[in-house]
Amino acid sequence: MTKTENNGVMEAVISLCKRRGFIFQGSEIYGGLAGTWDYGPLGAELKENIKSLWWRRFLTSRNDMCRVDAAILMNQNVWKASGHVSGFSDPLVECKKCQHRFRADQLDATNKCPDCGGSLGEVKQFNMMFQTHVGAVQDESSVSYLRPETAQGMFVNFKNILDSLHPRLPFGMAQIGKAFRNEIAPRDFLFRAREFEQMEIEYFIRPPKDENDREWEKVFAHFVSEVKAFTSDVGLNPEKVHELEVSDGERAHYSKRTIDFEFDFPFGRNELYGLAYRTDFDLKQHSEFSKADLSYYDEETKERFTPHCIEPSFGLDRTVLAVLTDAYTEDELGGEKRIYLKLSPSVAPFKVAVFPLLRNKPQLVEKAQQIFKSIKKEIPATAFDDNGNIGKRYRRQDEIGTPFCVTIDFDTIEKNAGVTVRDRDTGKQERVTEAELVEFFKKKF
Ligand code: ATP
């Protein structure tokens, strides 16, 4: 696809999201608030499905992880210890003529304003944390920040987890929650927002005994394959997912190894997730700044040490964007152009939609309601749709990515001939008996 076609895909996805109730611009009726997005009913379902798959893979299907849900507002010293107060910044440059601001590292070498061609001022470091004050007094001591990542909420609870659950190494803490970054240039829809959600894991392991102890590499490799497995859980095309080994010079100073998982978005290949071996940097920093003892005592070996940490970090909204852009499809069906979302049933907001063939025939509506209720009992993400004619319903369900539509017609009632089930991707219909219906879907999913 050409670049223009790809930009066309972004526009088409954004417009579908608004038209069908997936995602809206934040504060839209007031002209919006840059870098914020509101999830509508369908988007919220899609996002929830992604979260459930994540919890299933990284929490409930294993026995070495615990879930936490830490506060967004934290003591300002957390961010001093983590290095965010001094170092969480992007280079900012302002045009002397139009006063527009840009990220200096994203401009070309001409050093001219991309908006008006004016000359640019000096580069300054801009801290991306949203600052606020806690309580009625606004002074230095009341400063707090909206967390720019969920990770620190786990490190600061490390001791609480040890004291309350007594887990044995290796073990992980997992969290899903909001993060906030005052990005200089929010862009590309959900890709770079100012308010977004992260799904993060801090996985604690024994420190290496010496330079030759490469045990950590096994855990790292395990998470490489688990991250990839998760991208297929949500239905992403594996050919669009790439691993990028971050070089020594580009890694954060505390990381001994980092892999970025990139995805082929319509606007280019960009970071989707990250995996980093953070060593004992975070626990050591918090020990030093808080004076709390964040070491671990091994009952078996009678040793005390500070564990090392491997961190898989996932952007939830970037996952939503990857899933939507990957699923967006235009084709022709029955001689007509159509748009549909080829969503995996695992993430689709609705798995099945049930219709009466005609909405003004009470016997069809009644039967359709009865079948709808019996499917919904087993497959909760089932919709009932009797708006407009059948063609419009198919188009609507295709656009929101519903894998199967069930139609109740006169043969269902008069000849006991079952219902028609239409497959979203092929448009093909087959008759399935009422008794076999739920089993039929369960097999498909
Ligand atoms: P980038 O280089 O794209 O700014 P990052 O390396 O700063 O990302 P991390 O700090 O590693 O990102 O954050 C972990 C994950 O959070 C990212 O892989 C991404 O999925 C997500 N993320 C980070 N910043 C944003 C943002 N502004 N909007 C949406 N998601 C984000």
Side-chain angles (χ1 to χ4, degrees):
M1 261 196 264
T2 64
K3 196 161 185 220
T4 338
E5 278 168 339
N6 278 332
N7 287 342
V9 170
M10 280 302 281
E11 268 168 38
V13 168
I14 295 169
S15 137
L16 185 152
C17 281
K18 180 170 160 65
R19 185 168 72 244
R20 293 298 183 198
F22 278 85
I23 297 154
F24 312 112
Q25 190 186 358
S27 316
E28 188 177 339
I29 60 167
Y30 286 98
L33 179 66
T36 65
W37 299 96
D38 293 343
Y39 283 78
L42 284 266
E45 289 300 329
L46 170 63
K47 190 157 80 153
E48 211 50 43
N49 292 340
I50 295 171
K51 287 192 204 178
S52 311
L53 290 168
W54 192 84
W55 285 125
R56 192 193 302 166
R57 177 161 292 280
F58 294 106
L59 182 89
T60 51
S61 69
R62 22 196 316 158
N63 60 3
D64 58 348
M65 293 272 191
C66 61
R67 188 201 305 250
V68 292
D69 187 5
I72 288 173
L73 293 172
M74 300 175 87
N75 188 306
Q76 55 173 282
N77 291 323
V78 171
W79 306 107
K80 289 182 182 160
S82 67
H84 284 80
V85 169
S86 58
F88 192 61
S89 44
D90 272 343
L92 171 77
V93 73
E94 190 174 317
C95 172
K96 289 180 185 162
K97 200 165 146 202
C98 71
Q99 271 79 49
H100 287 181
R101 293 170 151 207
F102 306 95
R103 247 176 82 168
D105 56 341
Q106 288 175 348
L107 297 178
D108 59 25
T110 57
N111 212 28
K112 292 272 179 255
C113 171
D115 288 352
C116 74
S119 55
L120 299 170
E122 252 176 61
V123 176
K124 291 182 201 139
Q125 287 302 317
F126 173 75
N127 192 301
M128 286 191 288
M129 284 198 294
F130 281 99
Q131 203 187 82
T132 186
H133 289 271
V134 173
V137 182
Q138 301 216 343
D139 61 14
E140 253 314 294
S141 69
S142 67
V143 167
S144 183
Y145 306 92
L146 301 185
R147 66 179 178 202
E149 60 176 34
T150 57
Q152 301 305 323
M154 293 186 267
F155 292 121
V156 302
N157 279 296
F158 179 76
K159 188 171 160 36
N160 285 331
I161 298 299
L162 288 189
D163 293 348
S164 55
L165 300 176
H166 312 287
R168 293 236 191 102
L169 286 179
F171 73 89
M173 297 163 78
Q175 173 166 232
I176 298 182
K178 289 268 186 181
F180 303 82
R181 296 183 187 181
N182 199 358
E183 298 278 357
I184 296 167
R187 64 175 174 91
D188 297 318
F189 192 28
L190 306 173
F191 181 80
R192 190 166 298 288
R194 289 183 168 133
E195 175 175 341
F196 55 96
E197 260 177 282
Q198 291 184 316
M199 309 184 283
E200 294 197 297
I201 293 165
E202 305 305 332
Y203 196 79
F204 298 99
I205 55 174
R206 299 178 135 273
K209 291 188 197 78
D210 53 45
E211 277 297 300
N212 300 323
D213 181 354
R214 314 295 286 180
E215 272 302 300
W216 65 268
E217 285 182 345
K218 289 190 194 149
V219 181
F220 198 91
H222 162 74
F223 280 113
V224 170
S225 73
E226 284 298 282
V227 171
K228 280 201 286 203
F230 177 69
T231 64
S232 55
D233 291 347
V234 298
L236 291 180
N237 175 355
E239 284 173 18
K240 292 188 184 170
V241 180
H242 310 276
E243 282 170 43
L244 175 80
E245 183 78 49
V246 181
S247 64
D248 284 356
E250 304 218 340
R251 272 198 313 267
H253 61 96
Y254 49 76
S255 174
K256 251 196 163 164
R257 185 170 177 204
T258 300
I259 285 183
D260 282 349
F261 293 85
E262 298 189 315
F263 184 77
D264 293 325
F265 290 99
F267 45 87
R269 190 174 288 183
N270 269 285
E271 177 175 329
L272 180 62
Y273 307 139
L275 174 65
Y277 174 28
R278 300 177 70 111
T279 68
D280 56 4
F281 174 80
D282 304 273
L283 290 182
K284 284 257 167 81
Q285 285 292 106
H286 287 304
S287 279
E288 188 185 324
F289 277 69
S290 68
K291 306 291 173 232
D293 177 6
L294 302 184
S295 65
Y296 172 91
Y297 182 71
D298 190 323
E299 300 281 352
E300 278 159 34
T301 62
K302 312 284 178 223
E303 288 171 297
R304 184 170 282 286
F305 51 81
T306 304
H308 279 215
C309 180
I310 287 176
E311 179 194 74
S313 175
F314 304 72
L316 177 54
D317 312 79
R318 281 190 193 177
T319 313
V320 172
L321 182 60
V323 164
L324 287 172
T325 57
D326 197 23
Y328 182 85
T329 314
E330 288 176 12
D331 69 357
E332 246 179 49
L333 193 67
E336 265 188 55
K337 281 208 158 140
R338 71 158 178 164
I339 290 174
Y340 73 105
L341 289 182
K342 205 172 180 163
L343 293 174
S344 154
S346 64
V347 294
F350 292 111
K351 321 292 179 211
V352 181
V354 180
F355 319 149
L357 178 66
L358 299 168
R359 58 188 299 198
N360 55 1
K361 297 284 175 210
Q363 71 272 44
L364 288 182
V365 176
E366 203 179 301
K367 185 72 186 164
Q369 284 278 9
Q370 179 211 323
I371 291 179
F372 161 70
K373 281 181 196 147
S374 69
I375 302 176
K376 200 171 167 63
K377 243 190 243 161
E378 299 290 325
I379 304 166
T382 297
F384 184 83
D385 194 350
D386 65 353
N387 268 325
N389 63 35
I390 192 104
K392 278 199 183 138
R393 292 180 216 152
Y394 282 148
R395 236 166 298 152
R396 179 164 51 241
Q397 295 300 331
D398 283 349
E399 282 205 4
I400 65 174
T402 309
F404 294 102
C405 292
V406 170
T407 303
I408 282 76
D409 57 20
F410 290 108
D411 283 354
T412 314
I413 302 171
E414 290 162 8
K415 300 187 184 154
N416 202 15
V419 298
T420 62
V421 176
R422 174 183 172 275
D423 179 296
R424 174 197 65 200
D425 300 349
T426 61
K428 288 210 176 98
Q429 305 195 11
E430 60 184 298
R431 285 204 92 91
V432 179
T433 66
E434 275 183 65
E436 283 165 350
L437 208 46
V438 167
E439 239 355 83
F440 171 89
F441 291 127
K442 286 195 169 164
K443 265 193 205 138
K444 294 275 184 188
F445 305 145

